[in-house]
DNA sequence: CCTACCGATCGGTAGG
DNA sequence: CCTACCGATCGGTAGG
């Protein structure tokens, strides 16, 4: 008799290590420049052994990208459900993005940079996720402008500015200066919502 | 007797075609995922023939990245020389970035995404260029804050927000909606400088 | 500018 | 989880 429960548990845990190391390497070198042999070395096994835990190199990227997408979608669901005003909603979304960029940097970086190498149908699905997310954010801003809560600004441009500004935390990650994560967050919120508020 | 003048002219022009096609392909697929055989096909020759015009795949990436870096540095030189106030200087820099993102999108995209694959010493040189550029921008903002022209904001965070927000034009390039380039530019400036102005 | 070809490395499999 | 190995593809060179 085998012991399926324990075997499963072991596999999951090793798979988690592989995904984590892959996130690190993909972030450092990029998806294509990271070979399964590099990854195997980082994990501490031979390349062939990785395939006992994962299906393919592509499947690792798929898992990283969609885990990230799911986290952002869940947060947006919650924000949408609330009855706060538009500026508060946007601020909540921004704070979530900023914290994800700080706490789960490797995964986020990979999802932002290497989604292009997803295989179909994952690629299309991922892009649909993203387009949908941007539309929902734009709708929040549009409602705020209509209610005269926000400065009159083109909602899609505002979304583009907000989402990419937050990605700029990559600069901060590269050389974490004297600024703390909290200080970074407050200054970003100040700058970005300052451009949305009515003067 | 050979005719060196004409021969040189021919080589330069073919090299320009190679660089242009490479920018396009690197943008679409990424540097590593673009093979010299793909590039040769796009140019209309066999892969081996490319090497009559360029030294290596790496040298193409080098040329793209440094051509971009030089353009931004030249503009910043000009802005610094002027005696305008801080907000005007920042606005001029932003408008230049926005127009570069629109007019020379392929090159800029490659410089932003694939600089990581530059070979040393190019990689270090490129990163120094960038760090220097960010410092000079931060100095402009810092001076504006001190002179009480700008809202009190951490200058390095402001630079990070501004430079990455502008990169968000990638979203716009992916699905150029109903918004014109001019409308995009004015809305971005409104949003980003709105967060810098004193209320 | 081409044909022919090089050594290196890739993702992945067979079999134990 | 390993050894041994596969076909495919890579950047680049020799020689004409």
């Amino acid at each position: 008799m085998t012991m399926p429960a324990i075997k499963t548990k072991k596999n999951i845990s090793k798979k988690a290590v592989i995904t984590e190391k892959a996130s690190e390497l993909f972030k450092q070198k990029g998806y294509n420049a990271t070979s399964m042999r590099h990854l195997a070395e980082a994990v501490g096994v031979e390349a062939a052994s990785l395939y006992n835990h994962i299906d393919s190199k592509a499947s690792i990227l798929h898992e990283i990208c969609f885990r990230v997408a799911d986290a952002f979608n869940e947060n947006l669901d919650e924000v949408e459900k609330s009855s706060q005003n538009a500026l508060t909603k946007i601020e909540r979304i921004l704070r979530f993005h900023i914290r994800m960029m700080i706490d789960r940097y490797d995964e986020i970086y990979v999802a932002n940079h290497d989604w292009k190498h997803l295989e179909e149908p994952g690629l299309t699905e991922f892009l649909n996720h993203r387009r949908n997310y941007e539309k929902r954010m734009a709708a929040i801003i549009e409602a705020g402008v209509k209610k005269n809560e926000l400065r009159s600004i083109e909602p899609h441009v505002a979304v583009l500015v907000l989402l990419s500004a937050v990605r700029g935390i990559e600069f901060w990650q590269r050389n974490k200066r004297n600024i703390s994560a909290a200080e970074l967050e407050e200054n970003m919120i100040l700058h970005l919502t300052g451009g949305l508020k009515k003067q």
Side-chain angles (χ1 to χ4, degrees), chain A:
Chain A
M1 287 286 278
T2 55
M3 307 202 306
I6 289 173
K7 195 184 170 211
T8 301
K9 203 175 152 200
K10 265 188 181 169
N11 285 350
I12 287 173
S13 133
K14 194 59 170 262
K15 191 181 171 183
V17 172
I18 293 172
T19 308
E20 196 186 331
K21 291 286 180 192
S23 298
E24 230 177 286
L25 290 174
F26 291 172
K27 184 202 72 183
Q28 278 170 27
K29 305 164 182 277
Y31 175 74
N32 275 313
T34 302
S35 71
M36 294 305 274
R37 282 149 179 93
H38 293 144
L39 176 56
E41 198 188 342
V43 173
V45 295
E46 291 299 316
S49 304
L50 293 172
Y51 291 89
N52 291 309
H53 306 284
I54 54 135
D55 290 334
S56 63
K57 189 186 180 187
S59 73
I60 304 177
L61 181 64
H62 188 279
E63 175 150 343
I64 295 171
C65 289
F66 280 86
R67 192 189 286 174
V68 167
D70 289 347
F72 282 114
N73 276 325
E74 275 171 36
N75 180 67
L76 187 53
D77 287 346
E78 263 188 49
V79 170
E80 278 178 337
K81 266 184 238 156
S82 84
S83 53
Q84 294 161 315
N85 64 38
L87 192 63
T88 307
K89 282 182 181 172
I90 293 298
E91 190 175 323
R92 276 184 65 184
I93 294 171
L94 288 180
R95 287 190 191 274
F96 185 79
H97 276 257
I98 292 168
R99 282 170 200 172
M100 289 286 277
M101 283 294 294
I102 291 169
D103 298 337
R104 295 172 60 179
Y105 182 52
D106 292 357
E107 294 168 78
I108 310 290
Y109 186 97
V110 172
N112 279 342
H113 283 79
D114 282 327
W115 57 265
K116 201 181 299 193
H117 302 112
L118 284 168
E119 287 178 353
E120 293 293 5
L123 177 59
T124 299
E125 197 190 334
F126 186 81
L127 285 173
N128 284 341
H129 258 74
R130 251 215 338 217
R131 209 166 302 138
N132 207 257
Y133 191 88
E134 290 162 27
K135 272 188 194 163
R136 288 162 72 188
M137 264 190 80
I140 294 173
I141 292 173
E142 197 173 3
V145 173
K146 268 188 187 146
K147 278 190 186 169
N148 220 26
E149 286 171 26
L150 299 181
R151 180 211 293 258
S152 173
I153 199 168
E154 217 293 316
H156 292 98
V157 176
V159 168
L160 165 167
V161 165
L162 295 171
L163 290 186
S164 50
V166 151
R167 277 188 54 172
I169 295 178
E170 283 176 21
F171 289 101
W172 178 80
Q173 289 278 8
R174 270 201 274 283
N175 47 358
K176 302 184 182 175
R177 305 169 209 268
N178 313 333
I179 309 167
S180 71
E183 208 178 335
L184 174 72
E185 180 170 337
E186 293 315 318
N187 273 279
M188 286 195 77
I189 296 288
L190 180 71
H191 191 162
L192 290 170
T193 62
L196 281 178
K197 278 180 195 149
K198 302 212 65 162
Q199 308 270 308

